[in-house]
Amino acid sequence: MFQVQIEGPHGASETWPCTANECHVGKSEENFIVLQGWMVAPRHATIYREARGLFIRDEGTRAGTAVNGARLQAPYGPLQNTDEIAITGYRLRIRDDLPTTIVEPIANDVPVAEGPRIDFAVLRSLHERLIARMDFRRVDTAHMADAELRTKTRDLLEDLLREEPTLVGDHDRGALLEAALNEVVGLGPIEGLLEDATVSEIMVNRFDEIFIERQGRLESSPVVFSSEHAVRSVIERIVAPLGRRIDESSPMVDGRLKDGSRVNAVIPPVALKGPSLTIRKFSKERLTGAHLIQFGSADERILSFLKFAVEQRRSILISGGTGSGKTTLLNILASYIPADERIVTIEDAAELRLYQPNLVSLEARPANAESKGEISIRDLVRNSLRMRPDRIVVGECRGGEALDMLQAMNTGHDGSLTTVHANTPRDALARLEVMVLMAGLELPVTAIRQQISSAIDIIVQQSRVTDGSRKITHVVEVTGMENQVIQLQEIFFYQQAGVKADGRVAGRFGASGRIPEFYEELVERGLPVDRSIFMDDGAIEVL
């Protein structure tokens, strides 16, 4: 536990006790410490615990974060009681209530997975000798199966180690062989992290600075790459099979691994610290609604309502911030679409895993080296209308495709689903308006809002709360327009009630007591509906 003393711009002071190992600071209500001001970013800074004590990092904000008068360029710590943190007029002091643990500095070697340490120089030497020995004129590695390439490379490495036993030295032979194999034909030291089921995200800031997310919390990784070249090789190994490229003229790329995990890579000159790689792992287990309840992301009533809404062809917009679990929720809701309907999924990088028999999956494509051949999400949405879909599922609306998606929902493709980045359901509507304007058509705002109100039936707000868990915080129904304002009716909500001693958020899911308007339509058609799920007893506790 640690205490955060905050002095505001006008001298008012208050102290916040944080029982978690990570505390977010910013303007968004999702943060543990909420600061006001137009210069404060939605998530401005993060105070987090490591073995050596408490650290603080700025989240890449324009206004920045300063410690003792010096603006942060990298994480700072361990924090002392005398350190003064400045954030746009606010002054923070941290008092740590836990004793710190002294950790020896990291030497110039790297642990492979959780085993013996491997010296970088030895690994690089073995890598270079292997490349020199491979005869690429006789071996077509580009069209070789992964298993065959891995077997052939392992045989060559074993031959090298037999011929030059001095290369092994004091190192574990098996660990050295595995590290070199991963460096050449795998994904280097992060292979072990990809196999670790408890790791949900891998963030390579630079070759020797890797962070991972485990159970919603960020921590420094025990493994690092041997060099910038090693990171660059892994990035090219990921994007090449996808027909994508990354170079100085196109230094950013989105892609996916074979298991569906989402990948984003950035290289210099855009990435100032060297090649950067972010991997959001795709769960190997098929997630269902039962998992949402198990993880505390929803309760039975919310899940039952959303399942019924999908089956009744209600068009649903999932809103949330980065890393809030929008795609996971979209995948679960899309799985409720009946098997006798034709589905077309459209994504920037394919992540959805649906199992209905009549399914077509489309993926956007960036331009090639000659700036030709680009196929955008909007192109795919327009083309999907000629494929006789019953439902269209767009992984994420980011631009002008929002207009085509709304038109599709209004012209016989009701029951479609998509996601958007926004912090509240009302913000999601504003984002949709902006994205429709990005289509390049000078439409009046009233017409855009009319399109939105008639196309979208349900908005589901997904949020990541302070303990790192994801929760459905709002389920609202779009009920139409009044005085040129889209009307929303809240159906379900999540109410936070503090933080427990173990750092986990305490709260409950509740119902507003309002009956969705489309339920009344179903009653008029003689269909049975369960109104009892909308009666709130105030007793459902999420531990």
Side-chain angles (χ1 to χ4, degrees), residues 49-114:
R49 183 179 298 283
E50 289 190 355
R52 291 180 290 164
L54 293 171
F55 286 70
I56 185 169
R57 68 171 179 268
D58 182 81
E59 298 294 356
T61 61
R62 180 175 298 180
T65 303
V67 178
N68 301 327
R71 179 163 176 159
L72 293 183
Q73 302 297 329
Y76 176 92
L79 288 166
Q80 306 298 319
N81 293 345
T82 56
D83 288 331
E84 184 178 85
I85 302 166
I87 298 178
T88 67
Y90 290 88
R91 300 189 180 279
L92 287 68
R93 290 185 184 274
I94 312 297
R95 192 187 73 201
D96 193 359
D97 297 332
L98 295 180
T100 58
T101 303
I102 303 300
V103 178
E104 294 297 326
I106 299 175
N108 189 30
D109 48 9
V110 54
V112 178
E114 297 294 333

Side-chain angles (χ1 to χ4, degrees), residues 64-348:
T65 303
V67 178
N68 301 327
R71 179 163 176 159
L72 293 183
Q73 302 297 329
Y76 176 92
L79 288 166
Q80 306 298 319
N81 293 345
T82 56
D83 288 331
E84 184 178 85
I85 302 166
I87 298 178
T88 67
Y90 290 88
R91 300 189 180 279
L92 287 68
R93 290 185 184 274
I94 312 297
R95 192 187 73 201
D96 193 359
D97 297 332
L98 295 180
T100 58
T101 303
I102 303 300
V103 178
E104 294 297 326
I106 299 175
N108 189 30
D109 48 9
V110 54
V112 178
E114 297 294 333
R117 293 178 178 269
I118 305 298
D119 187 87
F120 282 151
V122 175
L123 194 59
R124 280 194 292 265
S125 175
L126 194 56
H127 189 170
E128 290 168 1
R129 291 167 189 258
L130 176 66
I131 297 299
R133 174 163 293 202
M134 275 187 168
D135 189 348
F136 291 100
R137 293 168 300 180
R138 294 188 176 186
V139 180
D140 185 9
T141 57
H143 296 88
M144 190 179 293
D146 288 348
E148 183 183 357
L149 178 59
R150 202 170 182 87
T151 300
K152 183 174 182 62
T153 306
R154 181 185 289 276
D155 291 342
L156 287 173
L157 284 168
E158 288 177 342
D159 290 343
L160 274 172
L161 292 178
R162 275 195 299 268
E163 294 171 11
E164 301 185 49
T166 55
L167 282 174
V168 178
D170 298 331
H171 298 92
D172 181 278
R173 188 178 186 278
L176 179 62
L177 179 65
E178 195 63 29
L181 190 61
N182 288 335
E183 186 96 357
V184 177
V185 297
L187 299 183
I190 63 173
E191 284 274 3
L193 299 177
L194 289 168
E195 293 298 322
D196 188 343
T198 66
V199 175
S200 57
E201 195 149 1
I202 303 167
M203 292 151 278
V204 181
N205 295 343
R206 49 174 286 165
F207 76 94
D208 58 353
E209 184 182 294
I210 301 177
F211 286 85
I212 58 176
E213 182 184 67
R214 183 179 273 121
Q215 296 177 347
R217 301 182 186 277
L218 291 180
E219 59 185 74
S220 181
S221 167
V223 298
V224 293
F225 283 90
S226 60
S227 65
E228 289 188 4
H229 175 72
V231 183
R232 182 70 175 263
S233 296
V234 165
I235 292 173
E236 291 174 348
R237 208 169 293 143
I238 291 172
V239 303
L242 303 176
R244 306 197 174 193
R245 66 187 181 93
I246 185 166
D247 51 38
E248 288 189 3
S249 63
S250 180
M252 299 180 292
V253 68
D254 286 319
R256 67 183 188 280
L257 300 180
K258 292 181 179 179
D259 65 355
S261 297
R262 187 164 65 193
V263 177
N264 174 267
V266 187
I267 63 172
V270 174
L272 302 182
K273 297 167 67 174
S276 175
L277 181 65
T278 306
I279 300 176
R280 181 169 296 171
K281 290 173 59 179
F282 187 84
S283 176
K284 295 180 180 178
E285 182 181 5
R286 181 180 176 182
L287 296 179
T288 64
H291 289 93
L292 292 180
I293 297 173
Q294 177 186 336
F295 299 150
S297 298
D299 68 358
E300 291 86 350
R301 296 177 302 176
I302 293 176
L303 188 63
S304 173
F305 170 73
L306 292 178
K307 182 175 185 292
F308 184 73
V310 172
E311 292 171 345
Q312 294 301 316
R313 299 184 65 86
R314 300 292 110 178
S315 294
I316 299 177
L317 175 68
I318 300 172
S319 166
T322 301
S324 61
K326 299 187 299 299
T327 303
T328 299
L329 180 58
L330 177 66
N331 204 91
I332 291 173
L333 295 186
S335 69
Y336 296 140
I337 298 174
D340 61 350
E341 296 189 27
R342 179 171 172 80
I343 308 169
V344 177
T345 66
I346 300 168
E347 298 175 85
D348 194 33

Side-chain angles (χ1 to χ4, degrees), residues 324-526:
S324 61
K326 299 187 299 299
T327 303
T328 299
L329 180 58
L330 177 66
N331 204 91
I332 291 173
L333 295 186
S335 69
Y336 296 140
I337 298 174
D340 61 350
E341 296 189 27
R342 179 171 172 80
I343 308 169
V344 177
T345 66
I346 300 168
E347 298 175 85
D348 194 33
E351 293 180 87
L352 296 175
R353 292 291 183 273
L354 302 182
Y355 297 90
Q356 287 90 335
N358 197 350
L359 171 70
V360 178
S361 299
L362 306 178
E363 184 179 51
R365 187 180 71 184
N368 59 20
E370 289 77 35
S371 300
K372 297 180 180 179
E374 178 184 10
I375 300 176
S376 66
I377 295 286
R378 188 174 188 190
D379 295 331
L380 294 177
V381 172
R382 286 184 292 197
N383 185 77
S384 69
L385 300 177
R386 305 183 184 97
M387 301 174 70
R388 198 259 178 228
D390 291 306
R391 315 253 191 152
I392 301 172
V393 180
V394 177
E396 182 180 339
C397 278
R398 298 178 182 174
E401 66 272 6
L403 175 60
D404 302 288
M405 185 71 184
L406 292 174
Q407 289 178 331
M409 291 176 174
N410 279 320
T411 55
H413 303 92
D414 47 340
S416 297
L417 302 96
T418 188
T419 73
V420 65
H421 274 84
N423 291 326
T424 66
R426 181 63 65 182
D427 287 348
L429 295 177
R431 283 271 295 160
L432 275 179
E433 288 183 27
V434 172
M435 287 188 289
V436 169
L437 292 172
M438 291 170 65
L441 299 177
E442 296 183 3
L443 297 173
V445 173
T446 302
I448 296 174
R449 290 177 181 172
Q450 189 65 53
Q451 282 279 316
I452 294 173
S453 65
S454 59
I456 303 295
D457 298 306
I458 305 291
I459 301 176
V460 182
Q461 184 68 36
Q462 180 90 356
S463 300
R464 180 174 175 174
V465 294
T466 53
D467 63 357
S469 61
R470 284 87 169 170
K471 297 186 185 298
I472 294 176
T473 54
H474 300 280
V475 178
V476 302
E477 182 186 29
V478 179
T479 58
M481 276 187 62
E482 185 176 332
N483 296 326
Q484 298 188 2
V485 177
I486 299 175
Q487 301 299 304
L488 301 179
Q489 173 177 263
E490 187 166 62
I491 307 299
F492 295 103
F493 60 86
Y494 175 76
Q495 184 177 40
Q496 187 170 333
V499 180
K500 296 180 178 294
D502 60 0
R504 297 175 62 193
V505 167
R508 71 180 188 93
F509 293 103
S512 66
R514 300 184 181 92
I515 309 296
E517 290 187 358
F518 80 88
Y519 265 52
E520 304 301 336
E521 298 173 11
L522 297 176
V523 170
E524 292 176 2
R525 288 158 49 190

Side-chain angles (χ1 to χ4, degrees), residues 528-542:
V529 295
D530 180 11
R531 293 191 181 95
S532 65
I533 63 173
F534 305 109
M535 300 299 105
D536 188 22
D537 57 11
I540 299 178
E541 184 76 15
V542 178

